[in-house]
């Protein structure tokens, strides 16, 4: 029995979904959305806030501020509410309405950027606003998930060891890249632990993280319009870029079997399937992919037929299998 007194105490998950019946491969999904923040971002949020408290950066007058496409914003909203802190989340128009409503329900002030930066896209515009607000008001404390080492350390200390403990003989680990905190924590841990597992980064088409050209993206979470400062691309064994329409189709393939996952999970599972089709002809590799969140927040986007057709065309409504 687990008893907790604050939402940030519940963030670990030892639940895996076996996708062999669906994909015919030894691919397991590590579910990280089963906490009060609703995503893997609860780990980074708890770690960054704890570090700021240890450094005496947070006082009773502090207003935490962060740029987020959604999931970290919800995680920080829950933690801030539990600690009686003010929190301002700077997001953009791609943020799901349900996600924004969740943050507001937890007492967060949500500021939305509607116009992208000419070079840095929506992320660049969000960062500009955060920097300006911090300059204007010294009560703001910016945790800066993009450069904060506590982001990747959270996964070095939890996510990656959890995988290796459960699957010591894992051959391939697929991890999505947004801020790159999860990916960098995992790849560093697997390297330091002496594991022979290949760590494959999964990115969205349109993201510039690995040097690909920028293009419009509609699903929040993975990908970036500005290269993540903490990303060390050379540490990964490979990179897979997944078109958003394929991510939508994979989400719908999973939901047709009763598993409602988020858009980032559809991207990671889709990337894993693509990579394994190319590199695992005999279907012998044991693989893990990390699911950042569940699907409830995507009901008005990825799981809404009209939204999908408007953004990707009717073919995106078709399951992959």
């Amino acid at each position: 029995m687990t008893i907790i007194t604050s939402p940030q105490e519940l963030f670990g998950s030892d639940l895996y979904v076996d996708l062999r019946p669906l994909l015919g491969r030894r691919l397991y999904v590590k579910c990280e959305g089963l906490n009060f923040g609703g995503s893997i971002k609860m780990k980074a949020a708890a770690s960054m806030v704890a570090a700021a408290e240890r450094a005496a950066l947070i006082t009773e007058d502090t207003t935490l501020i962060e740029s987020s496409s959604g999931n970290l914003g919800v995680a920080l909203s829950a933690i801030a509410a539990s600690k009686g802190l003010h929190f301002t989340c700077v997001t953009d128009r791609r943020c799901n309405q349900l996600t924004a409503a969740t943050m507001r329900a937890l007492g967060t002030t949500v500021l939305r950027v509607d116009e992208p930066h000419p070079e840095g896209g929506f992320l660049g515009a969000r960062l500009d606003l955060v920097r300006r607000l911090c300059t204007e008001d010294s009560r703001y404390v910016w945790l800066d998930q993009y450069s904060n080492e506590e982001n990747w350390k959270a996964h070095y200390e939890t996510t990656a060891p959890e995988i290796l403990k459960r699957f010591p003989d894992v051959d391939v680990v697929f991890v999505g890249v947004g801020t790159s905190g999860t990916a960098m924590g995992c790849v560093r841990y697997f390297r330091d632990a002496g594991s022979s597992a290949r760590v494959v980064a999964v990115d969205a088409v349109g993201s510039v993280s690995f040097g690909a050209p920028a293009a419009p993206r509609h699903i929040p979470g993975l990908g970036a319009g500005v290269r993540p400062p903490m990303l060390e691309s050379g540490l990964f064994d490979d990179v897979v870029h997944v078109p958003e329409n394929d991510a939508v189709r994979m989400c719908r393939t999973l939901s047709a079997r009763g598993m409602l996952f988020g858009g980032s999970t559809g991207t990671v599972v889709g990337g894993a399937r693509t990579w394994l089709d190319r590199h695992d002809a005999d279907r012998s590799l044991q693989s893990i992919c990390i699911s950042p969140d569940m699907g409830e927040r995507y009901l008005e986007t990825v799981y809404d037929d009209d939204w999908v057709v408007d953004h990707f065309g009717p073919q995106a409504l078709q399951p992959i299998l």
Side-chain angles (χ1 to χ4, degrees):
M1 179 173 64
T2 300
I3 299 175
I4 65 172
T5 58
S6 61
Q8 59 268 32
E9 294 175 31
L10 179 65
F11 60 77
S13 173
D14 197 38
L15 176 65
Y16 294 81
V17 175
D18 185 352
L19 293 185
R20 281 181 294 183
L22 178 61
L23 300 181
R25 295 187 179 280
R26 298 169 66 198
L27 177 62
Y28 304 90
V29 179
K30 187 179 195 303
C31 300
E32 289 283 351
L34 304 176
N35 57 61
F36 282 98
S39 79
I40 196 171
K41 291 292 189 175
M42 181 59 88
K43 291 179 173 179
S47 183
M48 291 190 296
V49 171
E53 289 177 325
R54 290 194 299 269
L57 297 177
I58 296 176
T59 70
E60 60 181 16
D61 295 325
T62 291
T63 294
L64 298 177
I65 189 168
E66 187 55 86
S67 157
S68 171
S69 61
N71 282 339
L72 182 71
V74 174
L76 285 173
S77 294
I79 294 173
S82 75
K83 293 178 175 292
L85 295 171
H86 298 292
F87 172 50
T88 295
C89 182
V90 177
T91 187
D92 60 64
R93 67 187 186 198
R94 295 173 304 173
C95 179
N96 300 320
Q97 292 185 17
L98 291 174
T99 299
T102 301
M103 289 191 280
R104 293 189 183 100
L106 291 166
T108 294
T109 298
V110 180
L111 303 179
R112 194 179 86 164
V113 171
D114 289 319
E115 295 299 327
H117 186 281
E119 296 179 357
F122 282 109
L123 175 55
R126 294 192 334 238
L127 295 178
D128 281 351
L129 179 55
V130 170
R131 294 187 185 103
R132 179 168 63 82
L133 291 172
C134 289
T135 299
E136 294 173 351
D137 192 337
S138 61
R139 291 174 296 180
Y140 281 117
V141 172
W142 182 21
L143 297 171
D144 191 5
Q145 62 167 322
Y146 309 98
S147 300
N148 194 324
E149 289 195 347
E150 294 298 326
N151 189 343
W152 69 263
K153 286 180 180 178
H155 303 287
Y156 186 96
E157 296 170 357
T158 61
T159 310
E162 289 164 1
I163 293 172
L164 200 55
K165 179 181 179 180
R166 179 63 63 183
F167 296 92
D169 298 322
V170 62
D171 295 302
V172 193
V173 177
F174 298 95
V175 55
V177 177
T179 65
S180 77
T182 305
M184 290 306 303
C186 288
V187 73
R188 283 181 172 140
Y189 182 85
F190 276 92
R191 298 292 177 259
D192 291 350
S195 171
S196 61
R198 285 174 280 186
V199 181
V200 177
V202 180
D203 199 8
V205 168
S207 167
V208 305
S209 297
F210 291 90
R217 290 176 293 110
H218 306 287
I219 302 174
L222 299 188
V226 178
R227 191 177 190 279
M230 70 178 75
L231 178 63
E232 295 181 34
S233 56
L235 292 180
F236 298 94
D237 293 283
D238 207 348
V239 180
V240 181
H241 288 87
V242 179
E244 285 192 322
N245 62 319
D246 286 352
V248 170
R249 294 181 64 205
M250 180 56 75
C251 283
R252 286 167 169 262
T253 299
L254 294 168
S255 69
R257 271 71 175 181
M259 295 175 285
L260 198 69
F261 284 110
S264 296
T265 301
T267 304
V268 177
V269 175
R273 177 177 178 270
T274 296
W275 192 93
L276 291 170
D277 283 348
R278 297 171 182 167
H279 301 281
D280 186 27
D282 58 1
R283 299 178 177 244
S284 63
L285 295 178
Q286 182 184 74
S287 306
I288 308 295
C289 58
I290 300 172
S291 163
D293 59 7
M294 307 305 284
E296 292 86 350
R297 294 173 188 163
Y298 299 83
L299 295 177
E300 296 179 343
T301 54
V302 170
Y303 295 104
D304 181 86
D305 288 356
D306 292 336
W307 185 90
V308 170
V309 171
D310 287 345
H311 289 81
F312 305 111
Q315 70 280 358
L317 296 175
Q318 302 301 316
I320 288 178
L321 302 176

